[in-house]
Amino acid sequence: MPNVTEGCVADAKSGVRLATRSDGAAHRDDLKDLTSLAVQGDRTAIESLLAQLRPMVVRYCRARLGRVSGQYHIADDVAQEVCIAVLSALPRYRDMGRPFASFVFGIASHKVADALRSSVRSAVPTQDLPDGPDEGPGPEETVVRYIEAEHARRLLSRLPDNQRELLMLRVVSGLSAEETGNVLGMSPGAVRVAQHRALARLRAMAELESIA
Amino acid sequence: MTAVHPRRPARRYGPEEDPAVSEAEAVIQALSLRRPVSEAAGNDEAVRLLLALIDDVDQCGPSDQRCSSVSITPSA
């Protein structure tokens, strides 16, 4: 069975970081070319396409669903379901002039909504404790990072749905204004105005909390 | 007698051309591409929160195999 390796970049100090996009326009062109080949059944193109999309989907699901018992298992499972759904839908995909990412995040948005509806926040069984040195960040850094991320999630959850979704897609998943607009049914200009308002609202909420 | 009203200043730009919108776009584009933000933006509480979230979701422990590889394409 061929593996889809997402191209993690190993970093000796910070562990393994998910691959990030380097250039927006080039990335979109790559995706467009890969998509047309993948729809025709080209296996290499399918693997490359999924390898490019998966990190974006994982980040989106993690940001929306958060951790359960300190782990991202549920979010990562949902991300995997999204990738499988994209793979299944690929033969039926028709290019209507919209970026492929908007098709993927349309699926991701529904999968996350399903997961939120059916979420049962129960303990997640874990494997045996790893036998070896933990090369990740120390406990204090881990806790601080966790608290800050949870604070961000809590404030984002208080934004109107459209503004929250917009920031998730643009900032966390790394979609362009055009791609985000296609997912949300907005023009790129409207996305830029809305993200400015979302940022201002987030800032106001954070400042209000720091005063209280 | 004719009243003379001062002419209303024409609006110089629509919301999309508002400099604040362009500044927000520059910050969000930098966050999106995981590039450093300006010092001023880095002091913005909203940006700091988004950076914390990005840092959290991008991180992936060395033992987390879900982040290192996946097998979701069908067998040949």
Side-chain angles (χ1 to χ4, degrees):
Chain A
M1 177 182 281
N3 275 358
V4 178
T5 304
E6 73 181 8
C8 285
V9 179
D11 182 309
K13 286 190 177 172
S14 61
V16 182
R17 187 170 278 272
L18 290 172
T20 55
R21 295 169 46 177
S22 54
D23 180 77
H27 177 82
R28 281 194 293 281
D29 289 344
D30 283 353
L31 270 187
K32 197 174 168 66
D33 293 343
L34 275 176
T35 305
S36 59
L37 287 171
V39 169
Q40 293 163 34
D42 183 318
R43 297 187 58 78
T44 310
I46 292 171
E47 290 181 5
S48 301
L49 184 67
L50 287 171
Q52 288 202 31
L53 289 171
R54 186 172 176 275
M56 296 157 72
V57 173
V58 168
R59 287 188 207 106
Y60 173 80
C61 293
R62 287 181 171 192
R64 288 292 313 276
L65 295 169
R67 294 174 190 263
V68 177
S69 303
Q71 302 289 329
Y72 274 130
H73 287 108
I74 291 179
D76 290 353
D77 284 347
V78 172
Q80 190 80 337
E81 281 180 29
V82 173
C83 291
I84 290 167
V86 169
L87 190 64
S88 305
L90 208 50
R92 299 187 302 278
Y93 174 77
R94 295 289 172 268
D95 185 358
M96 307 293 278
R98 297 169 59 188
F100 186 67
S102 66
F103 169 71
V104 174
F105 282 93
I107 293 174
S109 176
H110 284 108
K111 290 280 182 193
V112 165
D114 287 347
L116 285 171
R117 271 194 294 272
S118 63
S119 64
V120 179
R121 304 278 169 168
S122 56
V124 175
T126 56
Q127 294 173 347
D128 293 338
L129 285 173
D131 186 14
D134 183 359
E135 294 171 359
E140 189 178 339
E141 193 186 333
T142 303
V143 169
V144 169
R145 182 187 293 162
Y146 177 78
I147 289 171
E148 287 188 342
E150 284 306 303
H151 185 205
R153 265 192 205 93
R154 188 160 45 79
L155 291 185
L156 282 164
S157 73
R158 284 161 46 190
L159 287 177
D161 290 352
N162 207 45
Q163 289 188 354
R164 183 187 59 243
E165 191 72 1
L166 192 156
L167 286 182
M168 292 287 183
L169 292 171
R170 280 237 60 197
V171 174
V172 177
S173 297
L175 297 195
S176 67
E178 186 194 12
E179 289 164 338
T180 304
N182 274 310
V183 177
L184 300 176
M186 303 163 75
S187 70
V191 166
R192 292 188 186 99
V193 174
Q195 73 192 12
H196 162 61
R197 291 179 181 151
L199 212 53
R201 199 160 181 162
L202 189 64
R203 186 179 304 120
M205 287 194 300
E207 286 171 354
L208 202 63
E209 277 211 347
S210 67
I211 292 168
Chain B
M1 190 169 158
T2 308
V4 178
H5 298 283
R7 191 178 166 194
R8 280 186 174 180
R11 188 170 179 163
R12 288 193 197 133
Y13 43 74
E16 289 177 34
E17 285 80 44
D18 185 336
V21 170
S22 305
E23 282 170 27
E25 167 63 15
V27 171
I28 284 183
Q29 184 71 1
L31 292 173
S32 174
L33 297 174
R34 307 302 193 255
R35 288 180 181 156
V37 294
S38 67
E39 196 178 329
N43 292 328
D44 181 340
E45 185 66 12
V47 174
R48 205 183 58 75
L49 284 169
L50 291 173
L51 280 168
L53 184 62
I54 287 170
D55 197 37
D56 190 56
V57 299
D58 282 3
Q59 283 298 325
C60 185
S63 60
D64 190 347
Q65 295 191 353
R66 288 158 193 257
C67 291
S68 59
S69 67
V70 286
S71 301
I72 51 179
T73 47
S75 304

